[in-house]
Amino acid sequence: MPHTLLVLNGPNLNLLGAREPATYGHETLDDIAAICERTGAEHGLEIDFRQTNHEGQLIDWIHQARGRCAGILINPAAWTHTSVAIRDALAAVELPVIEVHLSNVHAREEFRRHSFVSGIAVGVIAGLGSDGYRAGIRHFSKLLKG
Ligand code: DQA
């Protein structure tokens, strides 16, 4: 059975491609999903790629990952900076987590420098655009091989 990686995307990421392209680039969320599927296939990982604008939905998906997924790659988007609930959900399921951001959150507004998720993540990737998702999946493949 191949390992399944849950790739979660938070609010407004459904607008990628049209949303602030100077900051987030021209790739759409479908483009990023395709990149993730391809990278996963190269490494023998199944990718379960999702996006929601509803915090409770994201929390439910995190809970459902327990016993079903081998790890979670998450771009929590704005919830990165606001949500104790998402951090607690990720901590509760005890799965390895990698946090990813398309933009370099440290080179932007001050409020983007704090993440509630980073403290429980294996690692954090920011500023590499969709390459960050690729790097995260590659790292999971190493991690899961032991
Ligand atoms: C983001 C950075 C967040 O600060 C922002 O709220 C987003 C996207 C990124 O991928 O660069 O929505 O997570």
Side-chain angles (χ1 to χ4, degrees), residues 90-109:
L90 290 167
V93 296
E94 295 179 329
L95 290 170
V97 171
I98 295 178
E99 177 183 346
V100 64
H101 300 282
L102 294 157
S103 66
N104 179 359
V105 283
H106 300 286
R108 300 180 62 193
E109 300 94 330

Side-chain angles (χ1 to χ4, degrees), residues 10-13 16 19-20 23-24 74-81 99-105 108-109 111-113 125-127 133:
N12 304 307
L13 293 174
L16 285 177
R19 176 192 180 200
E20 300 179 74
T23 301
Y24 297 116
I74 184 167
N75 183 346
W79 293 326
T80 308
H81 320 295
E99 177 183 346
V100 64
H101 300 282
L102 294 157
S103 66
N104 179 359
V105 283
R108 300 180 62 193
E109 300 94 330
F111 67 84
R112 292 185 204 276
R113 293 192 182 177
I125 305 165
Y133 285 72

Side-chain angles (χ1 to χ4, degrees), residues 39-115:
T39 310
E42 283 163 16
H43 295 277
L45 295 170
E46 201 152 285
I47 301 296
D48 182 351
F49 189 96
R50 303 178 184 202
Q51 187 276 332
T52 181
N53 294 322
H54 304 278
E55 190 172 355
Q57 175 66 87
L58 195 82
I59 290 168
D60 287 344
W61 286 342
I62 293 168
H63 293 175
Q64 289 157 14
R66 190 204 282 273
R68 190 180 73 84
C69 298
I72 301 177
L73 176 65
I74 184 167
N75 183 346
W79 293 326
T80 308
H81 320 295
T82 63
S83 181
V84 176
I86 288 171
R87 177 200 173 105
D88 285 353
L90 290 167
V93 296
E94 295 179 329
L95 290 170
V97 171
I98 295 178
E99 177 183 346
V100 64
H101 300 282
L102 294 157
S103 66
N104 179 359
V105 283
H106 300 286
R108 300 180 62 193
E109 300 94 330
E110 185 64 36
F111 67 84
R112 292 185 204 276
R113 293 192 182 177
H114 177 258
S115 164

